[in-house]
Amino acid sequence: MSSPNLVFVMSDDHAAHAISAYGSVVNRTPHIDRIAEEGVRLDKVYCTNSICTPSRASILTGTYSHINGACSIYSELDYRVPTYAQILQAKGYQTAIFGKWHLGVTEQANPRGFDAWRIFPGQGAYVDPVMYGPEGEEVVEGYASNIVTDLSLEWLDARDDDRPFCLMVHHKAPHRPWVPDEKHRDLYPVGSIPEPPTMWDDHESRSEVIRNVGMTVGDHLTENDVKEPLPEELAGPDKFRERASWKYQRYMRDYLQTVQGVDDNVGRLLDYLEEKGLADDTVVVYTSDQGFFLGDHGWFDKRLMFQESIGMPLLIRWPGELAAGTRCEAMITNVDFAATFLDMCGVDPDEELPDNQGRSFLPLLKGEEVDDWPQSMYYRYWEHDDPEHHAPAHYGVRTHEYLYIVYYNDGLGSPGSSERIMPTEYELYDLVKDPAELHNVVDDPAYAEVRAQMEAELARLQDKYRDEPYRGPDTPRLDWSR
Ligand code: CA
């Protein structure tokens, strides 16, 4: 097997339940679906810190946030931790990245290991975005998702045909504030989008910090988000439901329209690979840096350790190597991506990535039995009580049967936070009886043994990944300056 090419397409905040290959009931994504039809759909892929900057750092380096330094959007990727792009470049791959980077603002945080790169500053803009690269910055006219694909195809056209390539296509869509391409403005009109089954979750059994997050569709989506002023008659405290439904339709209309811009551009890329005879030798990956609440539990946004937020879509096509139309239900995290891509390219991740904490899931993609594959995943969200979303810092463990979360409630991970000190709170969900994660049973005596087991598993994973449990306000802080 010669070294395959790798095309890694990543969007931003694209939840799996807005992809028809994952059974979406709100939209169709025919081009992204092609990857699933011709490859593998992975159903239990989790982000280990559900927010943009940290997820990108974990994907590139195969490490948890406390190892790579990118714990929150206030921090940046530690340039001393190698990325899989650097390894592939050193092995003779041609490498490029176009689109959203968002791994810091200093020069040291610029992309490393790429022959070519042009990225948005920070989040980037949807229309006529500024882009910068080794030769400086300029405004590029047009719509971001189209531009990122144009740059990718131009680079592919100009590359050396004799060497394999690794191309990262990083869309900024469908990140807030959800500005669609003009040509998609008629799609998914207001009134046509079904509300999710958990939209009216009353959160009764949850922690106080979770009941108070600033992520409700009804009260926290802004006029800027929904693009028109709220009608006066929906403003009162007794109108929460009507207001949430009204905002939901507008939020989801725009979100799904921006998703369609990504889907169209995935189609352009797949068509190009076929036209140029590259499809058979190229691994195509589609993913998103994390999931998103699409009105689920009454919320938008991500951050929290619930399914809709930490679940990542992951579709992989590799003709001749991976069987078409197959599924993988093993528990995988974004920390496993780098090891897997290196493995696909014939590189031993443990030899080349000294800090690697992930494991190649290539054998699972090939349908092989792996007896000792992990049955649990460790999660840690470092930001605490940011001024907009008021999401609490927390860590936890997820198995196939249970979800256990500790909200330790200190501003350890957020230099910008208000650092309100609140008591530690706990949640436990029985994912077999309660797959929608609605009923916190942490204080139910019937679950005392399960809770003890999950606490022990959490401690085991923190030790395995060299993280530290929270030990009160005096816990040593991360060095944000490195
Ligand atoms: Ca994101």
Side-chain angles (χ1 to χ4, degrees), residues 183-219:
K183 69 182 176 210
H184 294 134
R185 283 201 185 270
D186 293 334
L187 296 174
Y188 308 110
V190 162
S192 71
I193 306 164
E195 292 175 357
T198 61
M199 178 101 164
W200 308 113
D201 183 352
D202 62 11
H203 300 285
E204 202 175 334
S205 63
R206 296 197 207 275
S207 303
E208 189 186 337
V209 282
I210 292 303
R211 292 199 305 271
N212 288 311
V213 293
M215 292 164 38
T216 67
V217 169
D219 283 340

Side-chain angles (χ1 to χ4, degrees), residues 99-114:
K100 179 166 168 176
W101 175 248
H102 205 200
L103 285 169
V105 294
T106 69
E107 204 163 298
Q108 282 180 330
N110 280 340
R112 291 167 286 124
F114 296 98

Side-chain angles (χ1 to χ4, degrees), residues 410-421:
D410 174 69
L412 189 66
S414 276
S417 83
S418 65
E419 306 196 20
R420 285 189 289 157
I421 305 292

Side-chain angles (χ1 to χ4, degrees), residues 11-13 51-52 56 100 175 288-290 302:
S11 54
D12 192 350
D13 297 358
I51 188 165
C52 306
R56 287 150 199 273
K100 179 166 168 176
H175 192 283
S288 166
D289 58 351
Q290 3 71 210
K302 57 255 185 182

Side-chain angles (χ1 to χ4, degrees), residues 43-44 46 206 297 305-308 310 331 375-377 396-405 427-441 447 450 454:
D43 288 353
K44 289 191 173 180
Y46 300 109
R206 296 197 207 275
H297 308 289
M305 199 186 167
F306 298 112
Q307 169 66 40
E308 297 86 354
I310 68 169
M331 195 168 280
Q375 301 295 307
S376 62
M377 62 82 63
V397 57
R398 189 182 180 99
T399 67
H400 292 283
E401 292 86 24
Y402 299 101
L403 167 63
Y404 177 66
I405 312 172
E427 292 181 355
L428 176 68
Y429 297 88
D430 181 335
L431 301 180
V432 177
K433 287 187 184 158
D434 176 28
E437 303 167 353
L438 293 167
H439 308 292
N440 174 21
V441 295
Y447 286 91
V450 169
M454 294 298 278

Side-chain angles (χ1 to χ4, degrees), residues 1 10 158 197 216 243 255 272 293 297 346 351-352 393 401 408 436 468:
M1 178 181 77
M10 180 158 68
T216 67
R243 184 163 65 245
Y255 180 92
Y272 178 96
F293 295 108
H297 308 289
E351 215 162 272
E352 303 288 342
E401 292 86 24
Y408 53 91
E468 293 274 327

Side-chain angles (χ1 to χ4, degrees), residues 126-141:
Y126 274 104
V127 179
D128 299 340
V130 171
M131 298 198 79
Y132 73 102
E135 268 122 58
E137 68 171 54
E138 61 179 332
V139 172
V140 183
E141 281 182 24

Side-chain angles (χ1 to χ4, degrees), residues 383-399:
E383 283 188 35
H384 181 66
D385 194 26
D386 74 276
E388 192 169 3
H389 307 86
H390 299 290
H394 57 290
Y395 46 62
V397 57
R398 189 182 180 99
T399 67

